[in-house]
Amino acid sequence: MLPYSVHEQLFPLEIGSNFKTIRFFYCTIYTMLVLTVLSLACLSLGVLSAPLVERVSSSLNQFALQKVLSDASPIFGPYSKNTTDTAEWMKKYPDSTLLVHMNLPGTHETATWNYSLATQQSLSGITALDGGEPVYAPEVFRCQDLPIIAMLNAGIRVFDMRFAFDITNTTLVFWHSQALQSQTATVEDVLFGFYHWLDDHPCETILLSFQYEGSTTAYASNNADVQLAIFNTLTSPVAKKYFLQTQNEFGTLGQARGKITLLRRFNLDQLPASYSAAIPGIYFSPSLWSDNDPDISLTYNTAQNLTAYIEDFYEVDLPSGTPASVAIDAKYNATTAHLTKAATQYPDSLFWSFASAEGVSNVPPETPEIMAVGNGTLTPNGGVNQRLVRFLEGLKGKRVGIVMFDYFEIPGNLVEVFLGL
C-alpha cells in the first residue's frame, strides 16, 4: 500500500467520512495490478524454464550415456565417433539390396580382444570363487586384438557374442569357455554402445550373433533364469527400438539401416513357448548347428523353406607334433571350399563362413592367432587371413556372404579386399 501522503495528494477528498471506502477501492485496484504483474512474470518464467528443463534433461541423459559407455569399455572399447569410408561403407548400396546378397565381414569371439595375462590374473579372484578358473593360457582364448568400436569403424558388421551369467548367477556378461572377459561390462552395457554407434551411423546395419556359452563355471546352467535374463535384455523398450522386429527372414538393407538383426544361436526352451514367439531375429537352432562341421545346412524358416549354409570347422585335430602350416592348410581348404559354394550356388540363401580356427590339442598348440596370421618362419605362407586375401582377389564381383575372422586387421588389406568384392 502507498504511504498516506501519496493518498492525500492523489485523493484529497478521501479525508473524511469516505476515507475507508475510497482506500479500500484503491487497495483493490493496486492488488489487482500486482497480481497481474506476478501472473505475467510466472508465465514468462514458465516459458523460459521449459528450454532450461530440456537442457538439464539432455545433460543428464548425456552423463548417463557416458556412464554406461564407460562401464562397457572393457568389451566395447572407448567410444569415438568416426565417419571414414569404412565406418559408412553401406552408404553406396541402394536400399533395395537384399542382405543375403551382401558381403558382410564379421569377427569371431568378438569380446575376447582385451583378454591378456593381466586380464586373466585380475579376474582370477572372481573366477576362483566358483571353481571356474581357466585351465589354458590367455592366448588360447583370445581371438581379436581391437575393441568393438574399432571393428565397427573399420567396416566389421557381424559380431559373435558369447554370454552367460557371472559367478553370482545374476548378471549377463561375456565369456569364452572358462575365460571371463569382464565382470563389470554387462551385455546390456555393450548393447548401448552398439545403439549409440547406430545413432551416429544411421546408414549402416549390424548383425549380432548371440550364443549361450557353456562350461563357464562349475555351477553355471542354461536354466530359466539366464534365458529370461537374455530375453528381457533383447526385448526391452530400448532394444525394441534398435532391433529389427521381424522373425526368421532377412529383408533389404533399407529395412535394416540403423537397426540390428539378431542372429539367435540360443534356446528359450526352459521358458513357455510364448517367449520364443515374442523374441525377434533369426533362430539358428543349436541342435541343428552340428559341431565342428565344414558344411552345415540349417533351415531357419520351414514355412518358406529358407536355409542357411554354414561353415564352422573350428577345431583342427591333427597328430601331436604336426606343423602349424598343415593345420592352416586344412582350415584354409575348408573355408575356401565354402566361399566357392557361396559364390556359385544358392544366390538367394544366406551363406555364413568362419575363417577362424584353433588346434589347442596339438603340441605345441595352434592358438587362434597362429591359425589366423601364422607364426613367422614356421608358416611361410602366413595364416588363413593372408592366404584368403589372395583367394578373395580372385572372386571380384562375387557374393560370399558373411565371413567371420580372427585378428581381422591382419593383413592390413583384408577387410579392404573383402569390401571391394
Side-chain angles (χ1 to χ4, degrees):
M1 183 175 174
L2 294 175
Y4 179 80
S5 60
V6 177
H7 276 281
E8 194 172 27
Q9 296 176 40
L10 293 175
F11 301 101
L13 296 178
E14 73 182 5
I15 306 300
S17 62
N18 293 326
F19 174 75
K20 291 182 179 180
T21 302
I22 295 173
R23 185 175 64 178
F24 176 78
F25 173 77
Y26 177 76
C27 289
T28 301
I29 298 297
Y30 180 76
T31 302
M32 290 175 65
L33 288 171
V34 171
L35 290 174
T36 301
V37 171
L38 288 174
S39 297
L40 290 173
C42 289
L43 179 61
S44 177
L45 180 62
V47 172
L48 292 175
S49 66
L52 177 62
V53 171
E54 291 176 2
R55 289 198 297 272
V56 171
S57 177
S58 176
S59 177
L60 287 175
N61 286 339
Q62 283 300 312
F63 279 124
L65 176 61
Q66 293 306 314
K67 170 65 166 61
V68 173
L69 294 178
S70 176
D71 290 343
S73 61
I75 300 297
F76 194 82
Y79 192 89
S80 61
K81 186 175 180 179
N82 188 304
T83 55
T84 58
D85 289 344
T86 53
E88 298 184 335
W89 64 266
M90 290 180 166
K91 273 184 174 179
K92 66 181 181 181
Y93 288 88
D95 284 350
S96 58
T97 307
L98 293 175
L99 291 180
V100 295
H101 288 173
M102 297 185 72
N103 296 321
L104 300 170
T107 50
H108 160 255
E109 287 285 3
T110 301
T112 63
W113 71 275
N114 199 26
Y115 195 74
S116 62
L117 180 60
T119 306
Q120 190 179 75
Q121 290 174 341
S122 69
L123 294 170
S124 63
I126 297 172
T127 54
L129 294 175
D130 199 19
E133 283 198 274
V135 296
Y136 294 111
E139 56 266 25
V140 170
F141 300 103
R142 185 167 180 162
C143 302
Q144 305 297 333
D145 254 348
L146 296 177
I148 292 174
I149 183 64
M151 297 178 188
L152 284 163
N153 292 333
I156 299 298
R157 294 293 175 268
V158 190
F159 301 85
D160 174 27
M161 314 299 289
R162 313 290 179 100
F163 70 90
F165 269 155
D166 65 357
I167 65 162
T168 68
N169 285 325
T170 59
T171 304
L172 292 175
V173 293
F174 296 99
W175 297 78
H176 183 184
S177 188
Q178 294 174 315
L180 174 64
Q181 301 303 303
S182 172
Q183 178 64 18
T184 56
T186 69
V187 169
E188 191 159 35
D189 291 337
V190 173
L191 282 175
F192 269 88
F194 285 112
Y195 301 156
H196 188 45
W197 190 87
L198 283 172
D199 283 344
D200 285 340
H201 304 84
C203 61
E204 304 300 294
T205 191
I206 294 168
L207 288 75
L208 295 185
S209 170
F210 271 94
Q211 179 181 353
Y212 175 76
E213 187 77 345
S215 304
T216 54
T217 67
Y219 304 104
S221 172
N222 187 16
N223 56 26
D225 289 338
V226 71
Q227 292 185 10
L228 181 60
I230 192 65
F231 174 86
N232 288 339
T233 299
L234 297 175
T235 59
S236 69
V238 65
K240 287 181 178 179
K241 176 183 176 181
Y242 288 95
F243 277 87
L244 277 171
Q245 295 300 298
T246 55
Q247 279 191 330
N248 297 325
E249 58 182 336
F250 292 92
T252 65
L253 176 59
Q255 294 167 332
R257 290 193 199 274
K259 300 288 185 180
I260 299 169
T261 298
L262 172 63
L263 307 178
R264 180 163 73 94
R265 293 183 61 188
F266 60 88
N267 290 322
L268 295 176
D269 54 350
Q270 302 302 305
L271 302 176
S274 59
Y275 285 83
S276 293
I279 195 168
I282 319 300
Y283 175 49
F284 298 91
S285 172
S287 64
L288 299 179
W289 190 300
S290 49
D291 186 54
N292 204 32
D293 193 332
D295 193 10
I296 304 168
S297 297
L298 193 159
T299 299
Y300 59 88
N301 186 324
T302 54
Q304 299 183 45
N305 195 31
L306 300 178
T307 300
Y309 297 93
I310 303 162
E311 178 267 308
D312 191 18
F313 177 53
Y314 65 89
E315 182 68 45
V316 182
D317 190 10
L318 296 170
S320 179
T322 302
S325 58
V326 176
I328 292 170
D329 285 344
K331 175 59 187 178
Y332 171 79
N333 290 338
T335 299
T336 53
H338 201 253
L339 295 179
T340 299
K341 183 176 179 178
T344 57
Q345 300 181 40
Y346 311 114
D348 296 323
S349 295
L350 176 72
F351 273 80
W352 191 356
S353 305
F354 285 76
S356 52
E358 63 183 20
V360 296
S361 60
N362 197 1
V363 180
E366 278 84 43
T367 64
E369 183 176 14
I370 291 174
M371 293 295 295
V373 302
N375 62 353
T377 58
L378 297 178
T379 54
N381 294 322
V384 173
N385 289 5
Q386 289 95 334
R387 297 181 63 181
L388 278 178
V389 168
R390 297 186 288 271
F391 178 82
L392 290 170
E393 287 173 340
L395 291 180
K396 187 73 173 178
K398 301 292 185 180
R399 185 284 305 261
V400 295
I402 298 171
V403 181
M404 312 294 279
F405 299 102
D406 281 347
Y407 296 90
F408 76 95
E409 77 281 8
I410 304 171
N413 63 337
L414 174 60
V415 174
E416 178 186 355
V417 170
F418 186 89
L419 293 178
L421 291 179

